[in-house]
Amino acid sequence: MKLNEEVREFWEQGPCGSGDIIVGELKPLSREWFEQIEEHRYRVEPFIHSIAQFPRHHGKKLLEVGVGAGTDHLQWARAGAHCFGVDLTSAAIETTKARFSLYGFESELQRLDAEVLPFEDESFDVVYSWGVIHHSEKPERIIEEIRRVLKPGGQFIGMLYGRRSPLVFKFWVKHALLKGRPWLSFSDVVWDKVESVGTKAYTEGELRSLFEKFGSTETIPLITTYDTDHWPHWISKFFPDSWGWFIGIRATK
Ligand SMILES: C[S@@+](CC[C@H](N)C(=O)[O-])C[C@H]1O[C@@H](n2cnc3c(N)ncnc32)[C@H](O)[C@@H]1O
């Protein structure tokens, strides 16, 4: 089976952020269900607002790659962007369609693998992708497609996983060191143990290389609750501030 088919199989089980631990017994696709997902998302990842800056993009033509449950996609619509969204799974596309219909917004949503985007060159002002590109077999293809569909001066805004992070270190202790396999690298552990198989995580320098064809790229390391949870606070002092599981990116074409 090709890697992206396995990735799809994993995410078809339910869009990211809609697990029982978050939504409990709420009726799937009900307003309460969506609002619980939204409340949880921005409580746990409040920095999304400062990275995305939704209201600044009013009136712009926006493509989101990997809409998941559609929580950020809804913020783009609320901010007045002209929305297009894609995802590898029917689960994500159907959930986002249901959400947009419930809240009275419109977006052109398609299920597809973003390694090939069915859009004209230079057709979007903004492309947004939060926590998606690192799941794909060939992230560099998605990044090249994003650059192709952006207008000159257009902006990519997103987040990819950071390898130098307390979260990855915790996974390495659990799945490599304590399993008697200390030779496994951080990358090996992320590939096998974080979400769908084949997940990748980067350093800031590696991300800047991946986006090198853009005119300018800014990387912003973000320490998340996934880094600090289940961990005595004093241990965090041993990790530099530049270590974090999320790396926000803004890259201008
Ligand atoms: C961790 S979830 C993130 C979803 C959403 N952006 C969020 O932050 O909640 C990863 C999503 O990426 C999608 N995905 C993975 N590989 C993809 C690809 N090659 N093309 C399009 N979507 C992809 C998955 O289907 C899944 O919905």
Side-chain angles (χ1 to χ4, degrees), residues 124-234:
F124 291 95
D125 301 298
V126 180
V127 178
Y128 176 74
S129 184
W130 191 265
V132 173
I133 297 169
H134 44 234
H135 291 301
S136 206
E137 181 172 358
K138 299 211 161 61
E140 62 286 357
R141 281 205 190 154
I142 300 190
I143 293 166
E144 190 45 39
E145 280 293 84
I146 289 173
R147 199 177 69 87
R148 181 183 67 74
V149 302
L150 271 173
K151 294 178 185 170
Q155 204 178 26
F156 169 75
I157 304 170
M159 178 277 285
L160 277 84
Y161 289 154
R163 191 167 71 248
R164 292 186 181 149
S165 63
L167 175 125
V168 175
F169 181 69
K170 284 190 275 185
F171 267 69
W172 180 82
V173 169
K174 183 172 173 192
H175 297 288
L177 187 64
L178 297 179
K179 292 272 164 63
R181 298 182 298 170
W183 56 85
L184 290 179
S185 66
F186 279 16
S187 297
D188 294 332
V189 171
V190 171
W191 180 283
D192 269 337
K193 301 292 175 194
V194 177
E195 302 170 329
S196 46
V197 69
T199 303
K200 291 154 274 292
Y202 301 93
T203 64
E204 283 184 86
E206 287 167 354
L207 283 184
R208 280 195 291 268
S209 299
L210 273 173
F211 284 84
E212 71 185 350
K213 290 191 188 156
F214 284 69
S216 67
T217 303
E218 178 192 9
T219 52
I220 306 140
L222 299 161
I223 296 170
T224 66
T225 53
Y226 316 112
D227 291 303
T228 51
D229 272 359
H230 312 299
W231 189 254
H233 280 300
W234 60 267

Side-chain angles (χ1 to χ4, degrees), residues 65-103:
V65 172
V67 291
T71 314
D72 293 348
H73 208 54
L74 185 68
Q75 313 312 313
W76 291 112
R78 283 176 172 155
H82 176 194
C83 292
F84 292 71
V86 300
D87 199 285
L88 190 58
T89 67
S90 304
I93 293 301
E94 294 313 315
T95 303
T96 304
K97 279 187 179 166
R99 192 171 202 160
F100 269 55
S101 139
L102 186 68
Y103 287 84

